[in-house]
Amino acid sequence: MSFRQPLLRRLAVLPVALLAMLASGCAGEFPQTTFRPVTEFGAAIDHVFRISFWWTMVILAIVAIVLTYVLIRFRARPGVEPRKIYGNNLAEILWTAGPAIIVVTILVPTVRTIFFTYREAPEDALVVEAVGHQWWWEFRYPELGIRTANQVHLPVGRPVEIHLSSADVIHNFWVPRIGGKRYNYPAVALPEGAPEPRNHNRIVFTIEEEGEYHGQCAEFCGVSHALMRMLVVAQPEDEFEAWAQSMREPTNTVPEPGTFEEKGYNAFIAGGCMACHTISGTMATFGMEGPDLTAVGARWKIGAGAAENTPEDLARWIQNSESFKPGSKMQAFPEITGEDLEALVAYLQSLK
Ligand code: CUA
């Protein structure tokens, strides 16, 4: 009896620890949870997860009960020799058939979900191209003639087909509440006139709930892989159309003459920023290397989630983006300082 008491006392801690774990699991927002899907794609995957989870729990319970029974019933007793058993047809049939049934029960919905999540997009789907870059996301809307970065707006209730590709290494598109993950492969260079490459991945879904959903590159793609985030803004169709219109024909990207923002705009042009960055409605329309900056002031963060969208962070980003994002391909501009820097920051932040 004496050796059992400390063990029992130790076991008494278990329910407390379990409660603490459950309580901490319920705290917080968890913007990247997969448990609250907002698309039929996410719901299908969540369904398979739940089936597998509850089957596993049933198996765990059965094994625990049988194990406890066996440990007590057949424990070592002085002077009792265990009976030896060789071969038991019933037991062998049961432990072969049981797992086979479980595997089939999980396999059927899994295969059905694989086909469901790879189905063709309906005719009216909105096509968006998501191009992975080290380390940011480029989004193009070929039908709407617009381009943006890191923050992608999508309509609620309309099917969306995202074409996934990469400008450099392999990335992975993952917005947990929407579904995924799915690879962005580098485009294969084809000879002139060759048919469209067929090796690009696609992901098709319909967002059913308005909101903002955080995403993250899910394939290790270099030193700043963890700083390759994105935000999906799901909005009603009319708001989405209004946003698209404001991106296509922005009215605020060329500042009024004589304003502080105009000084910033001039610094943008003089600084050579437009070699890499495009701002719709301005003369900076050919820079494709870096993120499109039309409406950059409205983004939830800058540098694909690496820095806050505040004047302080934006100024530091311009002077040395690597201080936020190691390996960043954006050149440092330590020469842009003082009022020029302040004006440039004010201009970029006015782009909303
Ligand atoms: Cu891109 Cu990891």
Side-chain angles (χ1 to χ4, degrees):
M1 199 65 195
S2 58
F3 71 92
R4 279 188 193 165
Q5 260 174 345
L7 179 69
L8 282 177
R9 218 174 296 149
R10 252 175 270 159
L11 285 177
V13 183
L14 269 181
V16 180
L18 200 64
L19 269 180
M21 260 165 61
L22 284 175
S24 66
C26 296
E29 262 290 294
F30 300 115
Q32 295 199 174
T33 178
T34 56
F35 296 130
R36 287 181 291 133
V38 292
T39 63
E40 82 293 19
F41 185 115
I45 291 173
D46 191 55
H47 179 65
V48 172
F49 166 74
R50 279 170 207 277
I51 289 176
S52 321
F53 177 80
W54 288 115
W55 267 109
T56 318
M57 286 301 111
V58 169
I59 295 162
L60 177 70
I62 294 171
V63 170
I65 291 166
V66 174
L67 185 66
T68 311
Y69 171 77
V70 169
L71 283 177
I72 296 169
R73 174 73 180 74
F74 300 104
R75 68 184 183 278
R77 290 194 188 98
V80 180
E81 272 286 303
R83 187 161 62 90
K84 292 183 177 63
I85 301 168
Y86 298 98
N88 184 319
N89 282 343
L90 180 66
E92 282 174 24
I93 288 169
L94 282 181
W95 72 53
T96 308
I101 291 168
I102 292 163
V103 166
V104 170
T105 316
I106 294 173
L107 181 79
V108 171
T110 302
V111 171
R112 204 187 289 152
T113 303
I114 290 172
F115 281 96
F116 178 71
T117 55
Y118 273 92
R119 73 200 188 286
E120 290 291 320
E123 285 282 299
D124 65 331
L126 172 74
V127 174
V128 179
E129 293 169 2
V131 187
H133 293 256
Q134 282 173 316
W135 291 274
W136 59 283
W137 295 95
E138 177 186 358
F139 295 102
R140 301 183 197 139
Y141 301 69
E143 301 158 31
L144 305 172
I146 54 179
R147 191 170 159 263
T148 186
N150 302 326
Q151 185 163 320
V152 60
H153 289 239
L154 297 174
V156 169
R158 180 178 168 190
V160 175
E161 177 179 17
I162 301 200
H163 293 193
L164 304 164
S165 64
S166 166
D168 34 55
V169 299
I170 296 174
H171 302 275
N172 194 320
F173 181 89
W174 187 39
V175 184
R177 294 195 64 193
I178 284 176
K181 316 159 175 172
R182 200 156 283 176
Y183 281 115
N184 292 66
Y185 296 117
V188 177
L190 291 170
E192 196 74 18
E196 268 290 285
R198 302 279 309 160
N199 61 340
H200 283 174
N201 263 340
R202 293 172 305 113
I203 185 167
V204 178
F205 54 80
T206 306
I207 301 178
E208 278 140 15
E209 209 178 291
E210 205 181 319
E212 296 191 345
Y213 309 116
H214 290 263
Q216 163 77 53
C217 177
E219 177 73 9
F220 181 70
C221 54
V223 62
S224 279
H225 151 71
L227 299 170
M228 186 170 167
R229 295 164 59 192
M230 69 185 117
L231 183 73
V232 173
V233 179
Q235 49 196 175
E237 188 104 36
D238 53 336
E239 275 178 37
F240 170 76
E241 292 297 338
W243 170 82
Q245 179 58 27
S246 74
M247 288 295 287
R248 198 163 36 229
E249 284 163 17
T251 52
N252 63 342
T253 48
V254 180
E256 294 289 320
T259 56
F260 193 53
E261 282 78 15
E262 197 213 16
K263 197 176 157 63
Y265 173 65
N266 291 336
F268 183 85
I269 303 298
C273 309
M274 62 191 214
C276 296
H277 297 287
T278 289
I279 298 177
S280 295
T282 71
M283 61 193 289
T285 51
F286 52 85
M288 295 290 166
E289 279 295 296
D292 185 295
L293 297 180
T294 315
V296 67
R299 286 186 197 147
W300 99 112
K301 279 179 192 271
I302 53 170
E308 298 301 323
N309 199 349
T310 58
E312 300 74 37
D313 275 16
L314 187 51
R316 201 176 119 200
W317 178 273
I318 293 164
Q319 289 205 310
N320 182 14
S321 64
E322 279 211 73
S323 68
F324 290 102
K325 187 179 270 191
S328 162
K329 289 187 180 162
M330 178 169 152
Q331 173 193 337
F333 291 89
E335 70 280 10
I336 303 181
T337 53
E339 201 169 282
D340 274 350
L341 183 62
E342 265 176 56
L344 178 54
V345 167
Y347 169 61
L348 292 173
Q349 294 230 298
S350 77
L351 302 175
K352 290 183 180 175

